[in-house]
Amino acid sequence: MNALKSWFLMLSSREKTLVSVATVAVIVMLFWLLILNPMLTNHESLNKLTQSKQTELQLMQRQSTMVKQLQRQSSATTTKKVEGNPQQLIEKALQTWRLKSTLQRMQSRGANKVILSLKKAEADKVMRFIYDLEQKYSLNTNEMILKKSKTIGMVDVRLILEKK
């Protein structure tokens, strides 16, 4: 430290001024590069993230309101349950959802129980079909085995259905 001080004192006044200004400039640049710039960059990215999350929250709140309205409408309108033989009801639902061609086997187990196998059926249609069976035809799904088919969006399904 002494050597640096003696070197500085040996400089002319113009050189001392130049070294002092350069030192201040280096300190300001280091402060900017190491502290201020990273803070400002981080602040900007956090602001963008906050804005995107607020937009997402508003969307979810609107969707939540819509879901609540649909639930109220659903509970207000009671669906008429269709009565009949479980196999006939299943046949009707298969035709409705165009799954008749995927039917591998339908086997009756007593008066109220049916085992059903579908091969390479569209997964979306299968889920709607099952929902229809439960809501419209009062058939409970006691057991369901889904196997992914090699074709995208297709499944192999085995169901055990029972009349409520």
Side-chain angles (χ1 to χ4, degrees), residues 1-11 16:
M1 190 71 173
N2 256 346
L4 192 59
K5 188 175 182 181
S6 65
W7 171 80
F8 183 73
L9 293 174
M10 287 178 22
L11 297 174
K16 287 180 185 177

Side-chain angles (χ1 to χ4, degrees), residues 24-41:
V24 170
V26 167
I27 290 172
V28 168
M29 287 297 290
L30 285 174
F31 182 71
W32 169 257
L33 289 173
L34 298 176
I35 297 173
L36 281 180
N37 192 24
M39 280 178 38
L40 292 174
T41 305

Side-chain angles (χ1 to χ4, degrees), residues 86-132:
Q87 285 185 317
Q88 291 172 341
L89 298 174
I90 292 170
E91 286 276 342
K92 192 173 185 177
L94 284 168
Q95 287 176 343
T96 301
W97 292 106
R98 294 186 177 115
L99 291 170
K100 185 89 168 148
S101 62
T102 65
L103 179 63
Q104 284 293 112
R105 188 176 112 212
M106 183 173 3
Q107 182 180 2
S108 180
R109 293 281 168 119
N112 293 329
K113 204 176 221 181
V114 177
I115 299 174
L116 182 69
S117 292
L118 304 175
K119 198 99 168 154
K120 291 186 181 174
E122 288 183 48
D124 292 342
K125 286 184 180 180
V126 169
M127 297 323 271
R128 291 182 184 120
F129 165 73
I130 294 170
Y131 178 81
D132 223 15

